[in-house]
Structures are given as structure tokens and as C-alpha cells.
Amino acid sequence: MISESEVVPLMLKACPGFRSIWQEHLGYSWRGKPVGEYSDAAEFARYLVENLQHGSASELKAVFEALERVIVEGDEDARG
């Protein structure tokens, strides 16, 4: 079963171009606290949309395969 802590590593494996953006994103905070999962997901979605707008869809197949795996094999927190 895939746990919540395994989701981001799966996405980074599927989408290696996002790794440097993710590392930068981890440095952000809101009043000294992590920005949260919704901001994390928004950053990832923004990256994918920008790539599509620039004609690059090379990572999408792997991303959707990883997401499907999380939906099928993930625990409740991972699916959330």
C-alpha cells in the first residue's frame, strides 16, 4: 500500500523536470509554517500546465500512471 509520504517521491520520479521547482517550493512558508498540501498540489499543477502551454507533454503519461497507482494502491491519506 502506498502511504502519503510516498506520493511526492512517486511524482518526482514520474516528473523529474519538476524536481528543482519542488526543492525551491519546499523553502516557502506561510508565517513560518509549511504552505500545505493544497499549495503543493497547485505548484505541481502549475508546472504541468505551463509545460503543456509550451508544447511539452513528455512527462504526462508517467504522471497519470503514477496518479492512477496512488488511487488504486494508496491508503486513504495518499489518495487524499
Side-chain angles (χ1 to χ4, degrees):
M1 185 152 286
I2 297 170
S3 68
E4 183 178 18
S5 66
E6 296 173 288
V7 173
V8 170
L10 278 172
M11 293 301 110
L12 292 174
K13 183 177 180 184
C15 195
F18 182 63
R19 187 172 298 277
S20 63
I21 295 166
W22 178 249
Q23 291 301 317
E24 183 179 338
H25 174 73
L26 290 177
Y28 299 143
S29 66
W30 176 254
R31 298 181 182 174
K33 297 180 182 179
V35 293
E37 292 86 8
Y38 290 111
S39 290
D40 296 347
E43 190 70 19
F44 188 60
R46 182 194 59 76
Y47 169 80
L48 293 174
V49 168
E50 285 181 2
N51 277 335
L52 282 172
Q53 289 173 336
H54 292 101
S56 176
S58 62
E59 296 172 315
L60 281 182
K61 183 177 188 241
V63 167
F64 285 116
E65 287 172 351
L67 286 172
E68 182 175 2
R69 194 168 157 224
V70 171
I71 291 167
V72 172
E73 300 175 31
D75 63 21
E76 186 177 339
D77 292 331
R79 290 190 313 268

